[in-house]
Amino acid sequence: QQKVQQSPESLTVSEGAMASLNCTFSDGTSNNFRWYRQHSAKGLEVLVSIFSDGEKEEGRFTAHLNRANLHVSLHIREPQPSDSAVYLCAVIDTNAYKVIFGKGTHLHVLP
Amino acid sequence: GPKVLQIPSHQIIDMGQMVTLNCDPVSNHLYFYWYKQILGQQMEFLVNFYNGKVMEKSKLFKDQFSVERPDGSYFTLKIQPTALEDSAVYFCASSLGTGVSGNTLYFGEGSRLIVV
């Protein structure tokens, strides 16, 4: 059973400073990873999907995947107060029809 | 982007009563999911559904839970009878299921259920 852990639990950055979030997983055979964002009382917003080792950029969001190290990260360039939310790392189970989530990182962006 | 709608957005119900949570998935999607999130905790997989059948369900998907999508209408989660520990936000999601990005799940905004 895939296990997904995120760090830190909470992160505070100033507006404009890079924010970096980490995610480790237990089963390196997965090849389908996503970062979602969850504003309180709202559904989940897809930020970036990554399927192979390396980097994938979507606007101000960049994901880095290193399956050998069982690690995927999310970097947010020039974060704004509106980016304050819970960021969830998700790993697609190998059967391709189940998503395993981490517990999330609470990001606070100060103006 | 694609939208998944959930009805109701919130409901308070007496313990032991039945509740049905409704989900209107993205129109051309084929796979449907329910997730449960207790306040402050991790989002947990409940069940996935394709071609009229449950494909997989987790330990959280108790015998009191059932899902269906009659005639391509709403994808529903029914809890009968409800228990106090069923209080949570229930998220519906759907995915296309094919293609490189076919496993991207699109989520609704959740149905907040409070059992009293």
Side-chain angles (χ1 to χ4, degrees):
Chain A
Q1 170 80 2
Q2 177 76 265
K3 296 205 186 305
V4 179
Q5 293 188 308
Q6 292 186 238
S7 64
E9 284 186 20
S10 182
L11 176 65
T12 300
V13 299
S14 297
E15 185 174 2
M18 175 79 80
S20 296
L21 288 64
N22 297 297
C23 176
T24 59
F25 46 92
S26 60
D27 180 355
T29 59
S30 296
N31 62 354
N32 203 329
F33 303 84
R34 312 237 185 285
W35 282 96
Y36 288 87
R37 176 164 71 182
Q38 183 179 28
H39 289 282
S40 60
K42 296 241 184 235
L44 294 169
E45 174 191 2
V46 180
L47 295 176
V48 60
S49 303
I50 187 164
F51 309 104
S52 57
D53 287 344
E55 184 178 295
K56 175 78 178 297
E57 183 177 314
E58 295 281 358
R60 294 183 295 109
F61 302 95
T62 302
H64 290 266
L65 174 62
N66 184 328
R67 279 182 294 171
N69 289 344
L70 303 176
H71 184 260
V72 60
S73 59
L74 178 70
H75 304 274
I76 307 172
R77 182 167 41 89
E78 297 175 4
Q80 299 149 17
S82 58
D83 292 322
S84 297
V86 175
Y87 288 77
L88 295 170
C89 171
V91 180
I92 311 301
D93 190 276
T94 51
N95 70 14
Y97 298 119
K98 189 162 70 174
V99 180
I100 313 297
F101 288 92
K103 290 187 178 181
T105 293
H106 291 251
L107 175 67
H108 306 274
V109 182
L110 302 176
Chain B
K3 294 273 190 202
V4 173
L5 301 176
Q6 290 188 236
I7 302 164
S9 59
H10 61 276
Q11 186 159 1
I12 300 174
I13 194 164
D14 290 327
M15 183 173 59
Q17 297 291 306
M18 181 193 76
V19 67
T20 301
L21 306 180
N22 299 286
C23 173
D24 188 10
V26 178
S27 62
N28 62 337
H29 283 188
L30 302 174
Y31 295 84
F32 312 107
Y33 312 78
W34 282 104
Y35 282 79
K36 177 181 179 180
Q37 186 177 39
I38 294 174
L39 186 64
Q41 296 188 21
Q42 196 163 357
M43 184 171 293
E44 307 265 16
F45 169 80
L46 280 177
V47 65
N48 54 18
F49 188 88
Y50 168 72
N51 198 27
K53 292 195 286 268
V54 169
M55 294 193 298
E56 184 174 355
K57 54 188 179 182
S58 73
K59 289 182 299 188
L60 295 177
F61 193 80
K62 305 182 300 185
D63 291 342
Q64 296 88 335
F65 288 30
S66 62
V67 291
E68 63 175 355
R69 192 182 186 220
D71 301 323
S73 60
Y74 287 149
F75 175 52
T76 61
L77 172 66
K78 184 185 291 186
I79 309 174
Q80 180 178 28
T82 50
L84 295 177
E85 60 265 26
D86 297 329
S87 296
V89 180
Y90 291 84
F91 288 94
C92 173
S94 68
S95 69
L96 186 59
T98 58
V100 172
S101 61
N103 290 321
T104 298
L105 271 64
Y106 292 87
F107 284 81
E109 296 193 351
S111 292
R112 186 176 303 272
L113 176 66
I114 300 173
V115 181
V116 295

Short mmCIF file of all heavy atoms in Angstrom, two decimals, chain A residues 4 32 34 36 38 41-44 46 49 51 88 92-93 95-103, chain B residues 31 33 35 37 42-43 45 48 55-56 91 97 100-110 112:
data_model
loop_
_atom_site.label_atom_id
_atom_site.label_comp_id
_atom_site.label_asym_id
_atom_site.label_seq_id
_atom_site.Cartn_x
_atom_site.Cartn_y
_atom_site.Cartn_z
N VAL A 4 2.12 8.13 1.52
CA VAL A 4 2.55 9.45 1.05
C VAL A 4 2.69 10.36 2.26
O VAL A 4 1.76 10.47 3.06
CB VAL A 4 1.52 10.02 0.05
CG1 VAL A 4 1.95 11.41 -0.42
CG2 VAL A 4 1.35 9.09 -1.13
N ASN A 32 2.82 8.51 -11.79
CA ASN A 32 1.77 9.49 -12.02
C ASN A 32 1.55 10.26 -10.72
O ASN A 32 1.03 9.72 -9.75
CB ASN A 32 0.50 8.74 -12.42
CG ASN A 32 -0.46 9.60 -13.19
OD1 ASN A 32 -0.52 10.80 -12.96
ND2 ASN A 32 -1.22 9.01 -14.09
N ARG A 34 0.60 14.12 -8.75
CA ARG A 34 -0.11 15.38 -8.90
C ARG A 34 0.08 16.23 -7.65
O ARG A 34 0.20 15.71 -6.54
CB ARG A 34 -1.61 15.17 -9.07
CG ARG A 34 -2.05 14.16 -10.05
CD ARG A 34 -2.96 14.77 -11.10
NE ARG A 34 -3.49 13.77 -11.98
CZ ARG A 34 -2.79 13.18 -12.95
NH1 ARG A 34 -1.55 13.50 -13.15
NH2 ARG A 34 -3.35 12.27 -13.72
N TYR A 36 -2.21 19.12 -5.79
CA TYR A 36 -3.51 19.80 -5.76
C TYR A 36 -3.43 20.92 -4.71
O TYR A 36 -2.60 20.88 -3.79
CB TYR A 36 -4.62 18.84 -5.31
CG TYR A 36 -5.03 17.79 -6.32
CD1 TYR A 36 -4.37 16.58 -6.39
CD2 TYR A 36 -6.12 18.01 -7.17
CE1 TYR A 36 -4.78 15.59 -7.28
CE2 TYR A 36 -6.52 17.03 -8.06
CZ TYR A 36 -5.85 15.83 -8.11
OH TYR A 36 -6.26 14.85 -9.00
N GLN A 38 -6.04 23.14 -2.04
CA GLN A 38 -7.36 23.13 -1.43
C GLN A 38 -7.52 24.38 -0.58
O GLN A 38 -6.92 24.51 0.47
CB GLN A 38 -7.56 21.89 -0.56
CG GLN A 38 -8.95 21.78 0.06
CD GLN A 38 -9.10 20.52 0.90
OE1 GLN A 38 -8.13 20.01 1.45
NE2 GLN A 38 -10.32 20.01 1.01
N ALA A 41 -12.94 25.11 2.63
CA ALA A 41 -14.34 24.97 2.22
C ALA A 41 -14.52 24.89 0.71
O ALA A 41 -15.61 25.06 0.20
CB ALA A 41 -15.20 26.10 2.78
N LYS A 42 -13.44 24.63 0.00
CA LYS A 42 -13.57 24.50 -1.46
C LYS A 42 -13.04 23.14 -1.88
O LYS A 42 -12.38 22.43 -1.15
CB LYS A 42 -12.74 25.61 -2.14
CG LYS A 42 -13.24 27.00 -1.82
CD LYS A 42 -13.67 27.69 -3.08
CE LYS A 42 -14.08 29.11 -2.78
NZ LYS A 42 -15.41 29.38 -3.27
N GLY A 43 -13.32 22.79 -3.11
CA GLY A 43 -12.80 21.55 -3.68
C GLY A 43 -11.34 21.67 -4.02
O GLY A 43 -10.67 22.64 -3.67
N LEU A 44 -10.85 20.69 -4.70
CA LEU A 44 -9.43 20.61 -5.03
C LEU A 44 -9.16 21.15 -6.43
O LEU A 44 -9.91 20.89 -7.36
CB LEU A 44 -8.96 19.17 -4.96
CG LEU A 44 -8.99 18.57 -3.55
CD1 LEU A 44 -8.76 17.08 -3.62
CD2 LEU A 44 -7.91 19.20 -2.71
N VAL A 46 -6.38 21.23 -9.47
CA VAL A 46 -5.17 20.61 -10.00
C VAL A 46 -4.15 21.70 -10.31
O VAL A 46 -4.44 22.66 -11.00
CB VAL A 46 -5.46 19.81 -11.28
CG1 VAL A 46 -4.19 19.18 -11.81
CG2 VAL A 46 -6.52 18.76 -11.02
N SER A 49 0.75 18.16 -12.91
CA SER A 49 0.89 16.71 -12.98
C SER A 49 2.27 16.39 -13.54
O SER A 49 2.74 17.09 -14.43
CB SER A 49 -0.18 16.11 -13.91
OG SER A 49 -1.47 16.47 -13.49
N PHE A 51 4.83 12.95 -14.75
CA PHE A 51 4.79 11.53 -15.05
C PHE A 51 6.18 10.90 -15.17
O PHE A 51 6.30 9.68 -15.25
CB PHE A 51 4.04 11.29 -16.37
CG PHE A 51 2.71 11.95 -16.40
CD1 PHE A 51 2.51 13.11 -17.13
CD2 PHE A 51 1.63 11.43 -15.71
CE1 PHE A 51 1.27 13.73 -17.17
CE2 PHE A 51 0.39 12.04 -15.75
CZ PHE A 51 0.21 13.19 -16.48
N LEU A 88 -1.79 19.60 -1.42
CA LEU A 88 -1.84 18.15 -1.28
C LEU A 88 -1.04 17.47 -2.37
O LEU A 88 -1.20 17.76 -3.55
CB LEU A 88 -3.29 17.66 -1.35
CG LEU A 88 -4.22 18.13 -0.23
CD1 LEU A 88 -5.66 17.80 -0.56
CD2 LEU A 88 -3.82 17.48 1.08
N ILE A 92 -0.80 8.44 -7.87
CA ILE A 92 -1.78 7.54 -8.47
C ILE A 92 -1.32 6.11 -8.22
O ILE A 92 -0.19 5.74 -8.56
CB ILE A 92 -1.90 7.80 -9.99
CG1 ILE A 92 -2.07 9.28 -10.29
CG2 ILE A 92 -3.04 6.98 -10.56
CD1 ILE A 92 -3.26 9.91 -9.65
N ASP A 93 -2.19 5.32 -7.63
CA ASP A 93 -1.89 3.92 -7.37
C ASP A 93 -1.65 3.20 -8.70
O ASP A 93 -2.19 3.57 -9.73
CB ASP A 93 -3.05 3.30 -6.62
CG ASP A 93 -2.74 1.91 -6.09
OD1 ASP A 93 -2.86 0.94 -6.85
OD2 ASP A 93 -2.33 1.81 -4.93
N ASN A 95 -2.77 0.67 -9.95
CA ASN A 95 -3.94 0.18 -10.70
C ASN A 95 -4.63 1.32 -11.43
O ASN A 95 -5.60 1.12 -12.13
CB ASN A 95 -4.91 -0.56 -9.78
CG ASN A 95 -5.63 0.34 -8.81
OD1 ASN A 95 -5.64 1.55 -8.95
ND2 ASN A 95 -6.24 -0.24 -7.80
N ALA A 96 -4.10 2.50 -11.26
CA ALA A 96 -4.49 3.69 -12.04
C ALA A 96 -5.87 4.23 -11.72
O ALA A 96 -6.30 5.20 -12.33
CB ALA A 96 -4.36 3.43 -13.52
N TYR A 97 -6.55 3.66 -10.75
CA TYR A 97 -7.87 4.19 -10.46
C TYR A 97 -8.06 4.56 -9.00
O TYR A 97 -9.17 4.58 -8.50
CB TYR A 97 -8.96 3.21 -10.92
CG TYR A 97 -8.89 3.00 -12.41
CD1 TYR A 97 -8.64 1.76 -12.95
CD2 TYR A 97 -9.05 4.08 -13.27
CE1 TYR A 97 -8.56 1.59 -14.31
CE2 TYR A 97 -8.95 3.92 -14.63
CZ TYR A 97 -8.71 2.67 -15.14
OH TYR A 97 -8.61 2.50 -16.49
N LYS A 98 -6.93 4.79 -8.31
CA LYS A 98 -7.03 5.23 -6.92
C LYS A 98 -5.93 6.26 -6.67
O LYS A 98 -4.81 6.11 -7.13
CB LYS A 98 -6.86 4.05 -5.98
CG LYS A 98 -7.16 4.38 -4.54
CD LYS A 98 -7.42 3.13 -3.73
CE LYS A 98 -6.17 2.33 -3.54
NZ LYS A 98 -6.40 1.18 -2.64
N VAL A 99 -6.28 7.31 -5.96
CA VAL A 99 -5.33 8.36 -5.66
C VAL A 99 -5.05 8.34 -4.16
O VAL A 99 -5.98 8.31 -3.36
CB VAL A 99 -5.90 9.74 -6.06
CG1 VAL A 99 -4.92 10.84 -5.74
CG2 VAL A 99 -6.25 9.74 -7.53
N ILE A 100 -3.77 8.33 -3.80
CA ILE A 100 -3.39 8.36 -2.39
C ILE A 100 -2.86 9.76 -2.09
O ILE A 100 -1.96 10.26 -2.77
CB ILE A 100 -2.26 7.34 -2.08
CG1 ILE A 100 -2.59 5.97 -2.70
CG2 ILE A 100 -2.05 7.24 -0.58
CD1 ILE A 100 -3.80 5.32 -2.16
N PHE A 101 -3.42 10.39 -1.07
CA PHE A 101 -3.04 11.75 -0.73
C PHE A 101 -2.12 11.79 0.48
O PHE A 101 -2.22 10.96 1.38
CB PHE A 101 -4.27 12.58 -0.38
CG PHE A 101 -5.13 12.93 -1.56
CD1 PHE A 101 -6.19 12.12 -1.93
CD2 PHE A 101 -4.88 14.08 -2.29
CE1 PHE A 101 -6.99 12.44 -3.02
CE2 PHE A 101 -5.68 14.41 -3.37
CZ PHE A 101 -6.73 13.60 -3.74
N GLY A 102 -1.25 12.79 0.52
CA GLY A 102 -0.55 13.14 1.75
C GLY A 102 -1.48 13.96 2.64
O GLY A 102 -2.60 14.29 2.25
N LYS A 103 -0.99 14.30 3.84
CA LYS A 103 -1.83 15.03 4.78
C LYS A 103 -1.89 16.52 4.47
O LYS A 103 -2.70 17.24 5.03
CB LYS A 103 -1.35 14.83 6.22
CG LYS A 103 -1.61 13.43 6.73
CD LYS A 103 -1.29 13.30 8.20
CE LYS A 103 -1.62 11.90 8.68
NZ LYS A 103 -1.35 11.72 10.12
N TYR B 31 -15.07 7.55 -14.91
CA TYR B 31 -14.71 6.98 -13.60
C TYR B 31 -15.12 7.97 -12.51
O TYR B 31 -14.91 9.18 -12.66
CB TYR B 31 -13.21 6.71 -13.53
CG TYR B 31 -12.76 5.64 -14.50
CD1 TYR B 31 -12.48 5.96 -15.82
CD2 TYR B 31 -12.66 4.32 -14.10
CE1 TYR B 31 -12.10 4.98 -16.72
CE2 TYR B 31 -12.27 3.34 -14.99
CZ TYR B 31 -12.00 3.67 -16.31
OH TYR B 31 -11.63 2.69 -17.19
N TYR B 33 -15.53 8.75 -8.15
CA TYR B 33 -14.88 8.46 -6.88
C TYR B 33 -15.59 9.20 -5.75
O TYR B 33 -16.12 10.30 -5.95
CB TYR B 33 -13.42 8.95 -6.89
CG TYR B 33 -12.63 8.56 -8.11
CD1 TYR B 33 -12.79 9.23 -9.32
CD2 TYR B 33 -11.70 7.53 -8.05
CE1 TYR B 33 -12.06 8.87 -10.44
CE2 TYR B 33 -10.95 7.17 -9.16
CZ TYR B 33 -11.14 7.84 -10.35
OH TYR B 33 -10.41 7.49 -11.45
N TYR B 35 -14.39 10.47 -1.76
CA TYR B 35 -13.36 10.59 -0.74
C TYR B 35 -14.00 11.19 0.51
O TYR B 35 -14.97 11.95 0.42
CB TYR B 35 -12.21 11.50 -1.21
CG TYR B 35 -11.25 10.83 -2.15
CD1 TYR B 35 -11.56 10.68 -3.50
CD2 TYR B 35 -10.04 10.33 -1.70
CE1 TYR B 35 -10.68 10.04 -4.36
CE2 TYR B 35 -9.16 9.70 -2.55
CZ TYR B 35 -9.48 9.56 -3.87
OH TYR B 35 -8.62 8.92 -4.72
N GLN B 37 -13.16 13.29 4.15
CA GLN B 37 -12.17 14.08 4.89
C GLN B 37 -12.78 14.57 6.19
O GLN B 37 -13.65 15.44 6.19
CB GLN B 37 -11.67 15.25 4.05
CG GLN B 37 -10.53 16.03 4.72
CD GLN B 37 -10.01 17.15 3.84
OE1 GLN B 37 -10.77 17.84 3.17
NE2 GLN B 37 -8.70 17.34 3.84
N GLN B 42 -6.47 13.82 6.98
CA GLN B 42 -6.13 13.48 5.61
C GLN B 42 -7.37 13.10 4.81
O GLN B 42 -8.33 12.55 5.34
CB GLN B 42 -5.19 12.26 5.68
CG GLN B 42 -4.43 11.93 4.46
CD GLN B 42 -3.28 10.99 4.84
OE1 GLN B 42 -3.07 10.66 5.99
NE2 GLN B 42 -2.53 10.57 3.86
N MET B 43 -7.33 13.38 3.53
CA MET B 43 -8.39 12.96 2.65
C MET B 43 -8.22 11.47 2.38
O MET B 43 -7.15 11.02 2.00
CB MET B 43 -8.32 13.74 1.34
CG MET B 43 -9.46 13.43 0.40
SD MET B 43 -9.48 14.54 -0.99
CE MET B 43 -9.89 16.08 -0.21
N PHE B 45 -9.55 7.78 0.63
CA PHE B 45 -10.29 7.15 -0.46
C PHE B 45 -11.40 6.26 0.11
O PHE B 45 -11.19 5.50 1.06
CB PHE B 45 -9.32 6.30 -1.29
CG PHE B 45 -9.98 5.38 -2.29
CD1 PHE B 45 -10.43 5.86 -3.50
CD2 PHE B 45 -10.11 4.03 -2.01
CE1 PHE B 45 -11.02 5.02 -4.42
CE2 PHE B 45 -10.69 3.17 -2.92
CZ PHE B 45 -11.15 3.66 -4.14
N ASN B 48 -14.25 3.68 -5.77
CA ASN B 48 -14.31 4.13 -7.16
C ASN B 48 -15.30 3.27 -7.93
O ASN B 48 -15.65 2.17 -7.52
CB ASN B 48 -12.93 4.19 -7.81
CG ASN B 48 -12.16 2.89 -7.72
OD1 ASN B 48 -12.74 1.85 -7.46
ND2 ASN B 48 -10.87 2.95 -7.91
N MET B 55 -15.42 -0.67 -8.43
CA MET B 55 -14.16 -1.36 -8.78
C MET B 55 -13.36 -1.67 -7.52
O MET B 55 -12.79 -2.74 -7.40
CB MET B 55 -13.33 -0.50 -9.72
CG MET B 55 -13.96 -0.30 -11.07
SD MET B 55 -12.78 0.40 -12.22
CE MET B 55 -12.42 1.95 -11.41
N GLU B 56 -13.30 -0.71 -6.64
CA GLU B 56 -12.53 -0.92 -5.42
C GLU B 56 -13.12 -0.07 -4.32
O GLU B 56 -13.60 1.04 -4.57
CB GLU B 56 -11.07 -0.53 -5.65
CG GLU B 56 -10.19 -0.82 -4.44
CD GLU B 56 -8.73 -0.55 -4.72
OE1 GLU B 56 -8.37 -0.23 -5.87
OE2 GLU B 56 -7.93 -0.68 -3.78
N PHE B 91 -16.04 14.27 -0.63
CA PHE B 91 -15.69 14.84 -1.93
C PHE B 91 -15.94 13.82 -3.03
O PHE B 91 -15.51 12.66 -2.92
CB PHE B 91 -14.21 15.23 -1.97
CG PHE B 91 -13.87 16.45 -1.14
CD1 PHE B 91 -13.42 16.31 0.16
CD2 PHE B 91 -14.02 17.72 -1.67
CE1 PHE B 91 -13.12 17.42 0.92
CE2 PHE B 91 -13.72 18.84 -0.90
CZ PHE B 91 -13.27 18.69 0.39
N GLY B 97 -10.25 8.74 -17.60
CA GLY B 97 -9.79 7.36 -17.55
C GLY B 97 -8.96 6.91 -18.71
O GLY B 97 -8.48 5.79 -18.74
N VAL B 100 -3.03 10.36 -21.61
CA VAL B 100 -1.93 10.71 -20.71
C VAL B 100 -2.46 11.39 -19.45
O VAL B 100 -2.04 11.09 -18.34
CB VAL B 100 -0.93 11.65 -21.42
CG1 VAL B 100 0.09 12.17 -20.41
CG2 VAL B 100 -0.24 10.92 -22.54
N SER B 101 -3.37 12.29 -19.61
CA SER B 101 -3.90 13.00 -18.43
C SER B 101 -5.23 12.44 -18.00
O SER B 101 -5.95 13.04 -17.22
CB SER B 101 -4.02 14.49 -18.73
OG SER B 101 -4.93 14.68 -19.81
N GLY B 102 -5.56 11.23 -18.48
CA GLY B 102 -6.89 10.68 -18.20
C GLY B 102 -7.11 10.33 -16.75
O GLY B 102 -8.25 10.16 -16.34
N ASN B 103 -6.02 10.21 -15.99
CA ASN B 103 -6.20 9.89 -14.59
C ASN B 103 -6.25 11.12 -13.70
O ASN B 103 -6.20 11.00 -12.50
CB ASN B 103 -5.07 8.96 -14.13
CG ASN B 103 -5.21 7.60 -14.75
OD1 ASN B 103 -6.29 7.08 -14.89
ND2 ASN B 103 -4.10 7.03 -15.17
N THR B 104 -6.31 12.27 -14.29
CA THR B 104 -6.49 13.48 -13.49
C THR B 104 -7.90 13.46 -12.93
O THR B 104 -8.87 13.39 -13.67
CB THR B 104 -6.29 14.74 -14.34
OG1 THR B 104 -4.96 14.76 -14.83
CG2 THR B 104 -6.54 15.99 -13.51
N LEU B 105 -7.97 13.52 -11.62
CA LEU B 105 -9.27 13.59 -10.97
C LEU B 105 -9.67 15.04 -10.79
O LEU B 105 -8.88 15.87 -10.36
CB LEU B 105 -9.22 12.92 -9.58
CG LEU B 105 -9.51 11.42 -9.52
CD1 LEU B 105 -8.47 10.63 -10.26
CD2 LEU B 105 -9.63 10.97 -8.08
N TYR B 106 -10.90 15.32 -11.13
CA TYR B 106 -11.46 16.65 -10.89
C TYR B 106 -12.45 16.52 -9.74
O TYR B 106 -13.34 15.65 -9.75
CB TYR B 106 -12.14 17.17 -12.15
CG TYR B 106 -11.14 17.47 -13.24
CD1 TYR B 106 -10.72 16.48 -14.12
CD2 TYR B 106 -10.56 18.74 -13.35
CE1 TYR B 106 -9.77 16.75 -15.09
CE2 TYR B 106 -9.61 19.00 -14.33
CZ TYR B 106 -9.22 18.00 -15.19
OH TYR B 106 -8.26 18.27 -16.15
N PHE B 107 -12.28 17.38 -8.77
CA PHE B 107 -13.05 17.27 -7.54
C PHE B 107 -14.16 18.30 -7.46
O PHE B 107 -14.01 19.44 -7.93
CB PHE B 107 -12.13 17.44 -6.32
CG PHE B 107 -11.28 16.25 -6.03
CD1 PHE B 107 -10.11 16.03 -6.73
CD2 PHE B 107 -11.66 15.34 -5.06
CE1 PHE B 107 -9.32 14.93 -6.46
CE2 PHE B 107 -10.87 14.23 -4.78
CZ PHE B 107 -9.71 14.02 -5.49
N GLY B 108 -15.24 17.92 -6.80
CA GLY B 108 -16.26 18.88 -6.42
C GLY B 108 -15.82 19.63 -5.17
O GLY B 108 -14.74 19.39 -4.63
N GLU B 109 -16.68 20.53 -4.71
CA GLU B 109 -16.33 21.34 -3.55
C GLU B 109 -16.69 20.67 -2.23
O GLU B 109 -16.44 21.24 -1.17
CB GLU B 109 -17.00 22.72 -3.65
CG GLU B 109 -16.49 23.51 -4.85
CD GLU B 109 -16.89 24.97 -4.82
OE1 GLU B 109 -17.70 25.36 -3.97
OE2 GLU B 109 -16.37 25.73 -5.67
N GLY B 110 -17.23 19.50 -2.31
CA GLY B 110 -17.48 18.75 -1.09
C GLY B 110 -18.88 18.92 -0.56
O GLY B 110 -19.52 19.96 -0.77
N ARG B 112 -20.59 18.77 3.11
CA ARG B 112 -20.26 18.70 4.54
C ARG B 112 -21.42 18.05 5.25
O ARG B 112 -22.53 18.61 5.26
CB ARG B 112 -20.00 20.10 5.07
CG ARG B 112 -19.49 20.15 6.52
CD ARG B 112 -19.17 21.59 6.93
NE ARG B 112 -18.20 22.17 6.03
CZ ARG B 112 -16.89 22.08 6.18
NH1 ARG B 112 -16.40 21.40 7.20
NH2 ARG B 112 -16.08 22.66 5.32
#
